[in-house]
């Protein structure tokens, strides 16, 4: 992971932007160090995802809030990164901690919306994953989004994708979006409570 983060253009944190000041207050002095700092934070939802600075004060974050905060820092530093939303097949192999929940409902995977950054054509993911997780190599859908789209927009797109997936996937007969969304939420809760919350260092 260290090698991936080193791909970022590094420079001392300049400007007096609000996000920059908070990173400086946390003892972070350059952009690569900021990416490392975010990557090491455990996985977990913050109290209000519209207040991205809570990632630093509460010491946790999800793929959405971690990358949105880093994207805001990059904007203040005039570093060209793109916040990206993708949908992948979430399974125990690439997201350790969800397998037991999926098995309970007879699923091997479920499409999950995931945020990350693109920098010079490369995907960079600072969510933090458990040791042994397979990297996410294939995305079923990708698009660039604005920081403000990590909430309702992301959820709406994800639900539209799930609704279509349910209708065309063998073995999903009799299941509806509400049920599948509950399974997804149970998976996310398991991630926040389990080994996924402890990035491999």
């Amino acid at each position: 992971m260290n090698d991936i983060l080193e791909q970022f253009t590094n420079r001392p944190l300049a400007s007096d932007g609000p996000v920059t000041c908070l990173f400086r207050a946390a003892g972070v002095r350059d952009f690569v160090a900021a990416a490392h700092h975010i990557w090491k934070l455990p996985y977990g939802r913050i109290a209000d995802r519209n207040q991205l600075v809570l990632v630093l004060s509460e010491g946790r974050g999800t793929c959405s809030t971690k990358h949105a905060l880093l994207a805001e820092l990059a904007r203040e530093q005039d570093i060209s990164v793109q916040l990206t939303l993708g949908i992948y097949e979430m399974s125990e192999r690439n997201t350790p901690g969800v397998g037991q929940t999926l098995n309970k409902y007879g699923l091997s995977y479920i499409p999950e919306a995931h945020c990350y950054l693109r920098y010079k054509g490369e995907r960079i993911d600072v969510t933090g994953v458990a040791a042994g997780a397979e990297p996410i190599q294939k995305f079923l859908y990708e698009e660039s989004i604005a920081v403000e789209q990590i909430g309702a927009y992301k959820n709406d797109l994800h639900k539209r994708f799930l609704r279509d997936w349910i209708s065309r996937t063998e073995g999903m007969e009799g299941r509806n979006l509400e049920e599948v969304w509950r399974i997804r939420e149970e998976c996310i809760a398991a991630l926040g409570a389990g080994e996924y919350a402890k990035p491999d260092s």
Side-chain angles (χ1 to χ4, degrees):
M1 186 64 185
N2 291 347
D3 292 342
I4 295 173
L5 297 186
E6 295 297 335
Q7 294 180 45
F8 279 128
T9 295
N10 200 16
R11 63 185 71 165
L13 295 183
S15 87
D16 293 316
V19 175
T20 300
C21 290
L22 288 170
F23 272 97
R24 281 210 204 100
V28 176
R29 296 289 176 256
D30 59 63
F31 191 77
V32 170
H36 278 280
H37 183 82
I38 295 298
W39 173 64
K40 289 179 180 178
L41 295 178
Y43 183 95
R45 285 174 168 165
I46 55 176
D48 180 357
R49 69 180 163 199
N50 293 315
Q51 301 295 321
L52 295 176
V53 295
L54 294 178
V55 171
L56 294 175
S57 59
E58 294 183 2
R60 63 177 178 269
T62 61
C63 66
S64 299
T65 53
K66 284 186 172 190
H67 291 102
L69 180 64
L70 206 53
E72 279 292 282
L73 179 65
R75 183 184 60 79
E76 290 182 4
Q77 299 305 308
D78 198 27
I79 296 173
S80 181
V81 303
Q82 182 58 61
L83 183 62
T84 306
L85 169 61
I87 295 178
Y88 75 104
E89 295 180 352
M90 180 172 67
S91 68
E92 180 66 20
R93 294 189 310 278
N94 55 35
T95 315
V98 303
Q100 187 173 352
T101 300
L102 292 173
N103 289 339
K104 181 167 70 172
Y105 295 102
L107 297 172
S108 59
Y109 76 92
I110 193 169
E112 172 62 5
H114 186 63
C115 286
Y116 45 93
L117 298 179
R118 276 199 173 273
Y119 178 69
K120 294 185 176 179
E122 298 293 328
R123 294 189 192 104
I124 299 182
D125 191 334
V126 299
T127 306
V129 297
E134 292 181 3
I136 303 167
Q137 301 284 11
K138 177 186 174 185
F139 281 85
L140 307 172
Y141 177 84
E142 286 184 283
E143 71 171 78
S144 298
I145 61 170
V147 167
E148 296 77 20
Q149 292 178 302
I150 66 168
Y153 178 85
K154 178 189 171 191
N155 281 349
D156 289 345
L157 185 146
H158 189 187
K159 287 179 177 179
R160 289 198 306 272
F161 190 96
L162 283 175
R163 189 178 290 111
D164 178 64
W165 176 73
I166 292 165
S167 69
R168 60 182 168 77
T169 301
E170 186 176 348
M172 295 300 291
E173 297 85 358
R175 284 185 158 151
N176 57 34
L177 176 61
E178 183 178 348
E179 178 189 359
V180 172
W181 192 259
R182 280 199 309 267
I183 296 169
R184 182 260 178 185
E185 286 293 294
E186 197 171 322
C187 286
I188 299 303
L191 294 180
E195 286 302 310
Y196 192 84
K198 304 164 188 172
D200 179 22
S201 55

